[in-house]
Amino acid sequence: MVKQLDKIVIRRPDDWHLHLRDGNLLKLVLPYSSSIYNRAIVMPNLISPIIDIKSATHYRNFILSNIPQGHIFTPLMTCYLTEYSNPNEIEEGFNSGIFTAVKIYPAFSTTNSFYGINNIKNINKVLERLQKIQMPLSMHCEVTDINIDIFDREARFIEDIIHPLRNKFPELKIIMEHISTKEAVEYVESSDDKVGATITPHHLILNRNDLLVNGIKPHFYCFPIIKSKIHQTALRKAISNGSSKFFLGTDSAPHFAYRKESSCGCAGIFNTPTALSIYATVFEELNAIRYFESFCSENGPRFYNLPINEDKITLIRRPWKIKNIINSSTYSLVTFLEGRTLNWFVKN
Ligand code: NCD
Ligand code: ZN
């Protein structure tokens, strides 16, 4: 019989896709990230999006001023691309270290994406510049045409947008965020080293039956929508092969419970307190713990051309029951997999 591991020690991970929000919600959720991760790519889709150096500086200072004492955490800022974004400002922000990447939201694809891109042809100048300065482009990969089925939107985006984009800008560095389909896995695997992808814990552990059978689960609702088991299996296989093109990005996206448990609930899953334990669970299920550290802590920084973290973090095998981080009669925030028990516990 193979002896079970009782502890996993890895380099401290980074979160390459995170929504920290703003104001009191940020104050509430930030410590859960800063206690585990050394850095995070901070998404710019605030109600007033982060579209320039001034707003990014202000937002970064607010994040820095709320990091609890004793935590070491570097927010890596992203610039929300609009059809009016100025390539010179983006380059200046990149050179001065304010921006680490640029983010494309197709308009109306997800939370606060109204100012996003309607037609990718309108941003050729910015894309040319990103290619020239090798600034990473983080992409929400879904088409938004109302006639395209919601489950097909990622695969169509690869056909309609990414293929032509990569033909035109072959040296552009792109991160396909929170991939959810076998088509995306295949695309990333068959591309050169200019293309990488983040994978969330929820897309690894759920399929659409978990979302829709025996009652609809608003806390499993996110974009891209959770797909069928075929796609879940493809994502799991991708990480179990140890490919360096896939890396950790939680896409933790908190919304208060009343906004999700609604007749028109919003998309986004708050998973920061559980994400690393879930990834460990999945890697163990796949018999691929040997690739857990590279997925969490090495592939991301290599893709972004940043140093890998030197300090370590430990997970121990200890069952713990997931609780919500706030539960008041007015506001509650539901943690992903609340009420269930996970077997890997992150020791801070
Ligand atoms: C995110 C949010 O709420 O900001 N929602 C989500 O379902 N993932 C936005 C996003 O990354 O699509
Ligand atoms: Zn996101």
PDB file of all heavy atoms in Angstrom, residues 216-239:
ATOM      1  N   ILE A 216     -30.843  24.699  -8.237  1.00  0.00           N
ATOM      2  CA  ILE A 216     -29.803  25.556  -8.811  1.00  0.00           C
ATOM      3  C   ILE A 216     -28.954  26.150  -7.681  1.00  0.00           C
ATOM      4  O   ILE A 216     -29.484  26.553  -6.657  1.00  0.00           O
ATOM      5  CB  ILE A 216     -30.451  26.632  -9.704  1.00  0.00           C
ATOM      6  CG1 ILE A 216     -29.410  27.405 -10.476  1.00  0.00           C
ATOM      7  CG2 ILE A 216     -31.348  27.579  -8.924  1.00  0.00           C
ATOM      8  CD1 ILE A 216     -30.004  28.133 -11.675  1.00  0.00           C
ATOM      9  N   LYS A 217     -27.641  26.168  -7.875  1.00  0.00           N
ATOM     10  CA  LYS A 217     -26.743  26.607  -6.794  1.00  0.00           C
ATOM     11  C   LYS A 217     -26.147  27.967  -7.171  1.00  0.00           C
ATOM     12  O   LYS A 217     -25.174  28.039  -7.921  1.00  0.00           O
ATOM     13  CB  LYS A 217     -25.579  25.619  -6.606  1.00  0.00           C
ATOM     14  CG  LYS A 217     -25.925  24.146  -6.628  1.00  0.00           C
ATOM     15  CD  LYS A 217     -26.748  23.697  -5.455  1.00  0.00           C
ATOM     16  CE  LYS A 217     -26.988  22.195  -5.488  1.00  0.00           C
ATOM     17  NZ  LYS A 217     -27.400  21.627  -6.791  1.00  0.00           N
ATOM     18  N   PRO A 218     -26.710  29.028  -6.668  1.00  0.00           N
ATOM     19  CA  PRO A 218     -26.221  30.355  -7.062  1.00  0.00           C
ATOM     20  C   PRO A 218     -24.754  30.591  -6.693  1.00  0.00           C
ATOM     21  O   PRO A 218     -24.073  31.377  -7.356  1.00  0.00           O
ATOM     22  CB  PRO A 218     -27.135  31.327  -6.310  1.00  0.00           C
ATOM     23  CG  PRO A 218     -27.799  30.536  -5.240  1.00  0.00           C
ATOM     24  CD  PRO A 218     -27.817  29.109  -5.700  1.00  0.00           C
ATOM     25  N   HIS A 219     -24.258  29.876  -5.686  1.00  0.00           N
ATOM     26  CA  HIS A 219     -22.859  30.107  -5.286  1.00  0.00           C
ATOM     27  C   HIS A 219     -21.878  29.305  -6.137  1.00  0.00           C
ATOM     28  O   HIS A 219     -20.667  29.383  -5.921  1.00  0.00           O
ATOM     29  CB  HIS A 219     -22.684  29.851  -3.785  1.00  0.00           C
ATOM     30  CG  HIS A 219     -23.538  30.786  -2.995  1.00  0.00           C
ATOM     31  ND1 HIS A 219     -23.286  32.139  -2.934  1.00  0.00           N
ATOM     32  CD2 HIS A 219     -24.705  30.592  -2.323  1.00  0.00           C
ATOM     33  CE1 HIS A 219     -24.234  32.725  -2.223  1.00  0.00           C
ATOM     34  NE2 HIS A 219     -25.115  31.822  -1.852  1.00  0.00           N
ATOM     35  N   PHE A 220     -22.410  28.561  -7.118  1.00  0.00           N
ATOM     36  CA  PHE A 220     -21.544  27.903  -8.103  1.00  0.00           C
ATOM     37  C   PHE A 220     -21.669  28.615  -9.459  1.00  0.00           C
ATOM     38  O   PHE A 220     -21.172  28.133 -10.470  1.00  0.00           O
ATOM     39  CB  PHE A 220     -21.922  26.424  -8.296  1.00  0.00           C
ATOM     40  CG  PHE A 220     -21.684  25.531  -7.095  1.00  0.00           C
ATOM     41  CD1 PHE A 220     -22.162  24.226  -7.101  1.00  0.00           C
ATOM     42  CD2 PHE A 220     -20.964  25.968  -5.988  1.00  0.00           C
ATOM     43  CE1 PHE A 220     -21.945  23.376  -6.017  1.00  0.00           C
ATOM     44  CE2 PHE A 220     -20.749  25.132  -4.889  1.00  0.00           C
ATOM     45  CZ  PHE A 220     -21.247  23.831  -4.909  1.00  0.00           C
ATOM     46  N   TYR A 221     -22.360  29.740  -9.453  1.00  0.00           N
ATOM     47  CA  TYR A 221     -22.585  30.449 -10.718  1.00  0.00           C
ATOM     48  C   TYR A 221     -21.458  31.452 -10.954  1.00  0.00           C
ATOM     49  O   TYR A 221     -21.182  32.312 -10.110  1.00  0.00           O
ATOM     50  CB  TYR A 221     -23.932  31.172 -10.658  1.00  0.00           C
ATOM     51  CG  TYR A 221     -24.258  31.974 -11.891  1.00  0.00           C
ATOM     52  CD1 TYR A 221     -24.369  31.361 -13.130  1.00  0.00           C
ATOM     53  CD2 TYR A 221     -24.434  33.351 -11.824  1.00  0.00           C
ATOM     54  CE1 TYR A 221     -24.649  32.097 -14.270  1.00  0.00           C
ATOM     55  CE2 TYR A 221     -24.730  34.103 -12.945  1.00  0.00           C
ATOM     56  CZ  TYR A 221     -24.832  33.470 -14.172  1.00  0.00           C
ATOM     57  OH  TYR A 221     -25.105  34.200 -15.289  1.00  0.00           O
ATOM     58  N   CYS A 222     -20.817  31.303 -12.082  1.00  0.00           N
ATOM     59  CA  CYS A 222     -19.708  32.201 -12.410  1.00  0.00           C
ATOM     60  C   CYS A 222     -19.559  32.216 -13.926  1.00  0.00           C
ATOM     61  O   CYS A 222     -20.159  31.427 -14.634  1.00  0.00           O
ATOM     62  CB  CYS A 222     -18.415  31.679 -11.783  1.00  0.00           C
ATOM     63  SG  CYS A 222     -17.913  30.091 -12.462  1.00  0.00           S
ATOM     64  N   PHE A 223     -18.702  33.148 -14.385  1.00  0.00           N
ATOM     65  CA  PHE A 223     -18.289  33.148 -15.782  1.00  0.00           C
ATOM     66  C   PHE A 223     -16.820  32.797 -15.859  1.00  0.00           C
ATOM     67  O   PHE A 223     -16.070  33.262 -15.007  1.00  0.00           O
ATOM     68  CB  PHE A 223     -18.528  34.519 -16.414  1.00  0.00           C
ATOM     69  CG  PHE A 223     -19.966  34.823 -16.636  1.00  0.00           C
ATOM     70  CD1 PHE A 223     -20.463  36.090 -16.356  1.00  0.00           C
ATOM     71  CD2 PHE A 223     -20.840  33.862 -17.107  1.00  0.00           C
ATOM     72  CE1 PHE A 223     -21.801  36.389 -16.554  1.00  0.00           C
ATOM     73  CE2 PHE A 223     -22.180  34.143 -17.297  1.00  0.00           C
ATOM     74  CZ  PHE A 223     -22.660  35.425 -17.030  1.00  0.00           C
ATOM     75  N   PRO A 224     -16.392  32.024 -16.838  1.00  0.00           N
ATOM     76  CA  PRO A 224     -17.247  31.281 -17.751  1.00  0.00           C
ATOM     77  C   PRO A 224     -18.059  30.254 -16.966  1.00  0.00           C
ATOM     78  O   PRO A 224     -17.564  29.683 -15.993  1.00  0.00           O
ATOM     79  CB  PRO A 224     -16.254  30.574 -18.681  1.00  0.00           C
ATOM     80  CG  PRO A 224     -14.923  31.156 -18.395  1.00  0.00           C
ATOM     81  CD  PRO A 224     -14.969  31.774 -17.059  1.00  0.00           C
ATOM     82  N   ILE A 225     -19.270  30.007 -17.441  1.00  0.00           N
ATOM     83  CA  ILE A 225     -20.155  29.095 -16.720  1.00  0.00           C
ATOM     84  C   ILE A 225     -19.502  27.706 -16.633  1.00  0.00           C
ATOM     85  O   ILE A 225     -18.755  27.301 -17.534  1.00  0.00           O
ATOM     86  CB  ILE A 225     -21.544  29.050 -17.396  1.00  0.00           C
ATOM     87  CG1 ILE A 225     -22.555  28.388 -16.469  1.00  0.00           C
ATOM     88  CG2 ILE A 225     -21.497  28.358 -18.759  1.00  0.00           C
ATOM     89  CD1 ILE A 225     -23.934  28.975 -16.547  1.00  0.00           C
ATOM     90  N   ILE A 226     -19.778  27.015 -15.520  1.00  0.00           N
ATOM     91  CA  ILE A 226     -19.227  25.677 -15.317  1.00  0.00           C
ATOM     92  C   ILE A 226     -19.771  24.744 -16.412  1.00  0.00           C
ATOM     93  O   ILE A 226     -20.976  24.710 -16.660  1.00  0.00           O
ATOM     94  CB  ILE A 226     -19.653  25.144 -13.923  1.00  0.00           C
ATOM     95  CG1 ILE A 226     -19.178  26.077 -12.799  1.00  0.00           C
ATOM     96  CG2 ILE A 226     -19.196  23.691 -13.729  1.00  0.00           C
ATOM     97  CD1 ILE A 226     -17.726  26.069 -12.489  1.00  0.00           C
ATOM     98  N   LYS A 227     -18.885  24.000 -17.045  1.00  0.00           N
ATOM     99  CA  LYS A 227     -19.250  23.176 -18.212  1.00  0.00           C
ATOM    100  C   LYS A 227     -19.487  21.712 -17.818  1.00  0.00           C
ATOM    101  O   LYS A 227     -19.432  21.358 -16.658  1.00  0.00           O
ATOM    102  CB  LYS A 227     -18.128  23.249 -19.262  1.00  0.00           C
ATOM    103  CG  LYS A 227     -17.705  24.659 -19.668  1.00  0.00           C
ATOM    104  CD  LYS A 227     -18.800  25.390 -20.401  1.00  0.00           C
ATOM    105  CE  LYS A 227     -18.370  26.699 -21.047  1.00  0.00           C
ATOM    106  NZ  LYS A 227     -17.784  27.694 -20.154  1.00  0.00           N
ATOM    107  N   SER A 228     -19.714  20.886 -18.858  1.00  0.00           N
ATOM    108  CA  SER A 228     -20.016  19.471 -18.611  1.00  0.00           C
ATOM    109  C   SER A 228     -18.759  18.715 -18.163  1.00  0.00           C
ATOM    110  O   SER A 228     -17.638  19.233 -18.240  1.00  0.00           O
ATOM    111  CB  SER A 228     -20.558  18.833 -19.886  1.00  0.00           C
ATOM    112  OG  SER A 228     -19.508  18.762 -20.831  1.00  0.00           O
ATOM    113  N   LYS A 229     -18.981  17.493 -17.738  1.00  0.00           N
ATOM    114  CA  LYS A 229     -17.888  16.678 -17.199  1.00  0.00           C
ATOM    115  C   LYS A 229     -16.750  16.452 -18.208  1.00  0.00           C
ATOM    116  O   LYS A 229     -15.590  16.346 -17.832  1.00  0.00           O
ATOM    117  CB  LYS A 229     -18.461  15.340 -16.720  1.00  0.00           C
ATOM    118  CG  LYS A 229     -17.461  14.556 -15.948  1.00  0.00           C
ATOM    119  CD  LYS A 229     -18.076  13.559 -15.024  1.00  0.00           C
ATOM    120  CE  LYS A 229     -16.953  12.927 -14.202  1.00  0.00           C
ATOM    121  NZ  LYS A 229     -17.453  11.966 -13.267  1.00  0.00           N
ATOM    122  N   ILE A 230     -17.088  16.395 -19.480  1.00  0.00           N
ATOM    123  CA  ILE A 230     -16.039  16.206 -20.508  1.00  0.00           C
ATOM    124  C   ILE A 230     -14.991  17.314 -20.383  1.00  0.00           C
ATOM    125  O   ILE A 230     -13.793  17.085 -20.442  1.00  0.00           O
ATOM    126  CB  ILE A 230     -16.678  16.278 -21.924  1.00  0.00           C
ATOM    127  CG1 ILE A 230     -17.646  15.122 -22.121  1.00  0.00           C
ATOM    128  CG2 ILE A 230     -15.634  16.332 -23.019  1.00  0.00           C
ATOM    129  CD1 ILE A 230     -18.493  15.250 -23.378  1.00  0.00           C
ATOM    130  N   HIS A 231     -15.493  18.527 -20.185  1.00  0.00           N
ATOM    131  CA  HIS A 231     -14.584  19.676 -20.093  1.00  0.00           C
ATOM    132  C   HIS A 231     -13.836  19.681 -18.757  1.00  0.00           C
ATOM    133  O   HIS A 231     -12.647  19.974 -18.700  1.00  0.00           O
ATOM    134  CB  HIS A 231     -15.378  20.965 -20.301  1.00  0.00           C
ATOM    135  CG  HIS A 231     -16.005  21.015 -21.651  1.00  0.00           C
ATOM    136  ND1 HIS A 231     -15.282  21.274 -22.789  1.00  0.00           N
ATOM    137  CD2 HIS A 231     -17.275  20.789 -22.062  1.00  0.00           C
ATOM    138  CE1 HIS A 231     -16.076  21.219 -23.849  1.00  0.00           C
ATOM    139  NE2 HIS A 231     -17.305  20.924 -23.428  1.00  0.00           N
ATOM    140  N   GLN A 232     -14.568  19.350 -17.702  1.00  0.00           N
ATOM    141  CA  GLN A 232     -13.909  19.270 -16.384  1.00  0.00           C
ATOM    142  C   GLN A 232     -12.754  18.261 -16.443  1.00  0.00           C
ATOM    143  O   GLN A 232     -11.652  18.531 -15.953  1.00  0.00           O
ATOM    144  CB  GLN A 232     -14.939  18.841 -15.323  1.00  0.00           C
ATOM    145  CG  GLN A 232     -14.347  18.731 -13.931  1.00  0.00           C
ATOM    146  CD  GLN A 232     -15.286  18.012 -12.947  1.00  0.00           C
ATOM    147  OE1 GLN A 232     -16.259  17.375 -13.352  1.00  0.00           O
ATOM    148  NE2 GLN A 232     -14.986  18.124 -11.673  1.00  0.00           N
ATOM    149  N   THR A 233     -13.013  17.132 -17.080  1.00  0.00           N
ATOM    150  CA  THR A 233     -11.981  16.089 -17.169  1.00  0.00           C
ATOM    151  C   THR A 233     -10.776  16.591 -17.973  1.00  0.00           C
ATOM    152  O   THR A 233      -9.623  16.307 -17.622  1.00  0.00           O
ATOM    153  CB  THR A 233     -12.587  14.815 -17.824  1.00  0.00           C
ATOM    154  OG1 THR A 233     -13.736  14.452 -17.051  1.00  0.00           O
ATOM    155  CG2 THR A 233     -11.610  13.668 -17.845  1.00  0.00           C
ATOM    156  N   ALA A 234     -11.037  17.356 -19.028  1.00  0.00           N
ATOM    157  CA  ALA A 234      -9.925  17.880 -19.845  1.00  0.00           C
ATOM    158  C   ALA A 234      -9.059  18.837 -19.027  1.00  0.00           C
ATOM    159  O   ALA A 234      -7.817  18.826 -19.127  1.00  0.00           O
ATOM    160  CB  ALA A 234     -10.479  18.585 -21.082  1.00  0.00           C
ATOM    161  N   LEU A 235      -9.697  19.664 -18.201  1.00  0.00           N
ATOM    162  CA  LEU A 235      -8.931  20.602 -17.367  1.00  0.00           C
ATOM    163  C   LEU A 235      -8.083  19.829 -16.356  1.00  0.00           C
ATOM    164  O   LEU A 235      -6.917  20.148 -16.116  1.00  0.00           O
ATOM    165  CB  LEU A 235      -9.878  21.536 -16.603  1.00  0.00           C
ATOM    166  CG  LEU A 235     -10.711  22.503 -17.444  1.00  0.00           C
ATOM    167  CD1 LEU A 235     -11.780  23.179 -16.578  1.00  0.00           C
ATOM    168  CD2 LEU A 235      -9.825  23.572 -18.081  1.00  0.00           C
ATOM    169  N   ARG A 236      -8.690  18.799 -15.772  1.00  0.00           N
ATOM    170  CA  ARG A 236      -7.978  18.003 -14.769  1.00  0.00           C
ATOM    171  C   ARG A 236      -6.794  17.272 -15.409  1.00  0.00           C
ATOM    172  O   ARG A 236      -5.708  17.201 -14.841  1.00  0.00           O
ATOM    173  CB  ARG A 236      -8.945  17.027 -14.080  1.00  0.00           C
ATOM    174  CG  ARG A 236      -9.973  17.760 -13.203  1.00  0.00           C
ATOM    175  CD  ARG A 236     -11.096  16.860 -12.756  1.00  0.00           C
ATOM    176  NE  ARG A 236     -10.684  15.876 -11.785  1.00  0.00           N
ATOM    177  CZ  ARG A 236     -10.875  15.966 -10.460  1.00  0.00           C
ATOM    178  NH1 ARG A 236     -11.470  17.031  -9.947  1.00  0.00           N
ATOM    179  NH2 ARG A 236     -10.472  15.017  -9.662  1.00  0.00           N
ATOM    180  N   LYS A 237      -7.016  16.785 -16.606  1.00  0.00           N
ATOM    181  CA  LYS A 237      -5.929  16.082 -17.297  1.00  0.00           C
ATOM    182  C   LYS A 237      -4.784  17.065 -17.605  1.00  0.00           C
ATOM    183  O   LYS A 237      -3.608  16.730 -17.464  1.00  0.00           O
ATOM    184  CB  LYS A 237      -6.486  15.484 -18.589  1.00  0.00           C
ATOM    185  CG  LYS A 237      -5.544  14.568 -19.277  1.00  0.00           C
ATOM    186  CD  LYS A 237      -6.302  13.504 -20.080  1.00  0.00           C
ATOM    187  CE  LYS A 237      -5.343  12.681 -20.909  1.00  0.00           C
ATOM    188  NZ  LYS A 237      -5.038  13.301 -22.198  1.00  0.00           N
ATOM    189  N   ALA A 238      -5.154  18.272 -17.983  1.00  0.00           N
ATOM    190  CA  ALA A 238      -4.133  19.271 -18.339  1.00  0.00           C
ATOM    191  C   ALA A 238      -3.187  19.519 -17.171  1.00  0.00           C
ATOM    192  O   ALA A 238      -1.968  19.564 -17.348  1.00  0.00           O
ATOM    193  CB  ALA A 238      -4.811  20.574 -18.767  1.00  0.00           C
ATOM    194  N   ILE A 239      -3.730  19.663 -15.972  1.00  0.00           N
ATOM    195  CA  ILE A 239      -2.819  19.955 -14.850  1.00  0.00           C
ATOM    196  C   ILE A 239      -2.069  18.702 -14.393  1.00  0.00           C
ATOM    197  O   ILE A 239      -0.975  18.791 -13.867  1.00  0.00           O
ATOM    198  CB  ILE A 239      -3.533  20.625 -13.655  1.00  0.00           C
ATOM    199  CG1 ILE A 239      -4.640  19.745 -13.076  1.00  0.00           C
ATOM    200  CG2 ILE A 239      -4.074  21.999 -14.046  1.00  0.00           C
ATOM    201  CD1 ILE A 239      -5.139  20.211 -11.724  1.00  0.00           C
TER     202      ILE A 239
END
